[in-house]
């Protein structure tokens, strides 16, 4: 009979599971967050518990919209425990509880800062733990308006905290520093790795003063540091969001009224906002913002100043990133040249607003067509392929190269990759698209 592995922490005891030759602890709480008065606040310190806490099953994921087609399939990104604001938990895999300090890898999941879970089946750390003799940790963090609604200039703003989703990630890293030795990990040898919004989070944490000294290395997959709103844009998004919920943002009790709403109302308004608020195609509505505190200035400037020079960095992208977003969208797969020009104009116009009307925007559209309208060998691309090449470079490729160059100039050990393996199924439609590297990683 296999005994359940047990770990005694300062907060209480955890009972995990043995799965083949690794030990697994799931749904481990690392901080406390909840509805009501705690919504939009930084996570609170974890309370102690009495007795043994079951850590054999994944905890709740952050509130998010779950596409109906995913609810009854194995690749549902949400665990069986469902969603809820009490979502600050992590899953952990370790080869042994023998006190030998092993390297630690902390995974931050993607999902556009609006969806996903550290418990998604693709993120199982069992193989990495077994083959690399490392401790693997996958964390949750608050998403959408719960993690990124900018309330800094609202009345009673002192009752809310900026960037709670990023603060959740820092709380998880603090938990790792305090507790990972009890799971066979070395708190002085932590590598962050993440994909898409997870990689964007890591890039921001690399130059966030509050995250300093919590990790030594960073691996960024298909995400860099360009997805941080300035304060004006993040406030405008917050105002629009409140109007969708019929809340006057100038009222003294606006934040209290947001807290009083059911979580499902905020999720529904988030979906409506994404459809109505016209950002450049490929720009995320819900993402961290410059707040003068956790993110003092735009992070790329801090990379340029060498503030992450002490962090060895591996960063890369996939060859056909944008095909994930067009593969099952017939409208974008059948793009013609007039529609391509319209998309480019909407994306390249100043502030991403409207169709191209200025001479400068028209010139930028022509330059984009010149660069991305042809393959490396000079053959013309179909409009849909040109759009994929443009967006893959704009949203993923260029930001990655820019961050890598900044790290190199600062003297940080830096490696860059490009992932080119394409799917054996739907090869032309998917190519080496966004997220296709995840099974290879795990």
């Amino acid at each position: 009979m296999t005994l359940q592995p047990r770990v005694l922490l300062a907060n209480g005891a955890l009972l995990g599971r043995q799965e083949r030759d690794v030990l697994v602890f799931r749904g481990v709480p690392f901080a406390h967050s909840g509805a009501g008065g705690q919504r939009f606040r930084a996570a609170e310190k974890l309370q102690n518990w009495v007795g043994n806490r079951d850590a054999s099953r994944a905890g709740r994921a952050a509130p998010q919209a779950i596409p109906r087609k995913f609810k009854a399939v194995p690749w549902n990104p949400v665990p069986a425990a469902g969603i809820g604001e009490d979502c600050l938990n992590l899953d952990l895999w370790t080869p042994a509880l023998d006190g030998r300090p092993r390297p630690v890898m902390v995974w931050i999941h993607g999902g556009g800062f609006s969806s996903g879970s550290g418990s998604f089946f693709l993120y199982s750390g069992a193989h990495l733990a077994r083959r690399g003799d490392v401790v693997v940790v996958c964390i949750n963090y608050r998403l959408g308006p719960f993690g990124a609604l900018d309330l800094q200039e609202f009345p009673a703003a002192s009752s809310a905290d900026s960037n709670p989703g990023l603060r959740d990630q820092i709380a998880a890293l603090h938990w790792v520093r305090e507790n990972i030795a009890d799971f066979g990990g070395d708190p002085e040898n932590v590598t962050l790795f993440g994909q898409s919004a997870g990689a964007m989070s890591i890039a921001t944490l690399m130059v966030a003063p509050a995250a300093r000294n919590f990790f030594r290395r960073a691996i960024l997959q298909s995400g860099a540091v360009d997805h941080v709103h300035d304060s004006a844009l993040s406030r405008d998004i917050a105002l629009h969001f409140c109007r969708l919920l019929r809340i006057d943002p100038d009222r003294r009790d606006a934040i209290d009224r947001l807290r009083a709403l059911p979580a499902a109302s905020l999720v529904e308004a988030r979906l409506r906002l994404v459809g109505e608020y016209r950002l450049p195609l490929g720009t995320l509505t819900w993402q961290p913002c410059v707040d003068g505190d956790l993110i003092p200035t735009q992070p790329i400037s801090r990379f340029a100043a060498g503030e992450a020079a002490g962090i060895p960095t591996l960063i890369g992208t996939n060859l056909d990133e944008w095909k994930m977003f067009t593969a099952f969208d017939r409208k974008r797969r059948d793009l013609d040249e007039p529609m391509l020009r319209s998309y480019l104009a909407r994306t390249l116009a100043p502030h991403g607003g409207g169709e191209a009307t200025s001479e400068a925007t028209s010139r930028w559209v022509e330059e984009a067509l010149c660069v991305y309208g042809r393959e490396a060998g000079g053959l013309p691309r179909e409009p849909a392929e040109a759009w994929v090449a443009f967006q893959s470079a704009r949203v993923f490729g260029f930001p990655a190269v820019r961050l890598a160059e900044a790290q190199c100039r600062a003297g940080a050990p830096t490696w860059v990759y490009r992932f080119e393996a394409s799917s054996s199924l739907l090869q032309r439609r998917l190519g080496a698209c966004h997220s296709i590297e995840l099974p290879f990683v795990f």
Side-chain angles (χ1 to χ4, degrees), residues 206-220:
M206 289 170 71
V207 290
R212 197 159 288 151
N213 302 321
F214 281 133
F215 59 98
R216 287 178 56 182
R217 304 177 189 86
I219 301 172
L220 296 85

Side-chain angles (χ1 to χ4, degrees), residues 379-400:
L379 295 175
R381 283 190 172 110
E382 294 294 323
E385 292 291 325
W387 176 243
V388 165
F390 172 79
Q391 283 292 79
S392 296
R394 185 184 76 86
V395 179
F396 299 102
F398 172 73

Side-chain angles (χ1 to χ4, degrees), residues 107 122 194-196 220-223 316-318 321 417 419-421 432-442:
W107 173 256
L122 271 182
Q195 183 260 354
S196 196
L220 296 85
Q221 301 166 214
S222 302
T317 60
N318 300 348
E321 295 275 6
Y417 73 85
F419 189 91
E420 298 186 357
C433 68
H434 192 62
S435 302
I436 204 167
E437 86 284 6
L438 291 173
F440 292 83
V441 172
F442 285 94

Side-chain angles (χ1 to χ4, degrees), residues 100-379:
R100 182 163 64 84
R102 295 171 175 81
V104 180
M105 300 185 71
V106 178
W107 173 256
I108 303 182
H109 72 80
F113 296 103
S114 293
S115 63
S117 164
S119 298
F120 186 35
F121 82 100
L122 271 182
Y123 307 149
S124 169
H127 298 295
L128 281 175
R130 184 183 306 116
R131 295 179 61 186
D133 195 30
V134 297
V135 179
V136 180
V137 181
C138 296
I139 69 172
N140 280 347
Y141 54 98
R142 281 174 282 182
L143 303 168
F146 303 93
L149 185 64
D150 184 5
L151 302 170
Q152 296 175 87
E153 297 184 31
F154 278 50
S158 61
S159 71
D161 293 299
S162 60
N163 293 304
L166 275 181
R167 295 181 191 274
D168 293 342
Q169 296 170 9
I170 295 173
L173 293 176
H174 184 269
W175 183 95
V176 168
R177 173 168 283 277
E178 295 295 314
N179 296 283
I180 206 66
D182 292 315
F183 296 90
D186 183 354
E188 301 297 330
N189 189 4
V190 175
T191 296
L192 294 190
F193 70 131
Q195 183 260 354
S196 196
M200 297 167 193
S201 298
I202 293 169
T204 305
L205 294 174
M206 289 170 71
V207 290
R212 197 159 288 151
N213 302 321
F214 281 133
F215 59 98
R216 287 178 56 182
R217 304 177 189 86
I219 301 172
L220 296 85
Q221 301 166 214
S222 302
V225 77
D226 287 40
H227 284 76
V228 175
H229 286 318
D230 61 45
S231 55
L233 179 55
S234 63
R235 173 169 168 76
D236 194 53
I237 289 171
L239 294 176
H240 196 107
F241 184 72
C242 283
R243 294 187 189 107
L244 288 175
L245 291 166
R246 298 184 178 180
I247 292 176
D248 182 353
D250 294 323
R251 287 182 51 142
R252 184 75 185 171
D253 64 347
I255 295 177
D256 287 337
R257 295 184 68 192
L258 284 167
R259 288 191 172 114
L261 290 172
S265 297
L266 273 67
V267 171
E268 191 274 335
R270 179 195 75 78
L271 293 173
R272 290 172 56 199
L273 180 73
V274 171
E276 294 181 12
Y277 198 88
R278 300 279 286 183
L279 288 167
L281 295 170
T283 301
L284 301 172
T285 307
W286 299 106
Q287 60 188 32
C289 67
V290 174
D291 60 8
D293 176 24
L294 188 66
I295 308 176
T297 58
Q298 278 292 345
I300 191 61
S301 66
R302 304 177 76 83
F303 277 96
E307 294 191 22
I311 303 175
T313 304
L314 168 62
I315 184 169
T317 60
N318 300 348
L319 179 63
D320 306 303
E321 295 275 6
W322 205 250
K323 283 192 173 182
M324 190 188 89
F325 307 99
T326 63
F328 303 101
D329 184 336
R330 180 175 292 276
K331 178 181 177 181
R332 287 180 171 84
R333 291 204 319 273
D334 296 339
L335 210 63
D336 57 18
E337 185 167 333
M339 187 59 70
L340 172 61
R341 288 178 174 274
S342 175
Y343 280 9
L344 290 171
R346 175 181 165 188
T347 303
L348 293 170
H351 311 297
E355 298 296 323
T357 55
S358 71
E359 182 179 338
T361 302
S362 298
R363 186 172 66 251
W364 294 336
V365 169
E366 294 305 319
E367 290 179 3
L369 287 170
C370 181
V371 174
Y372 297 101
R374 292 185 177 274
E375 298 176 358
L379 295 175

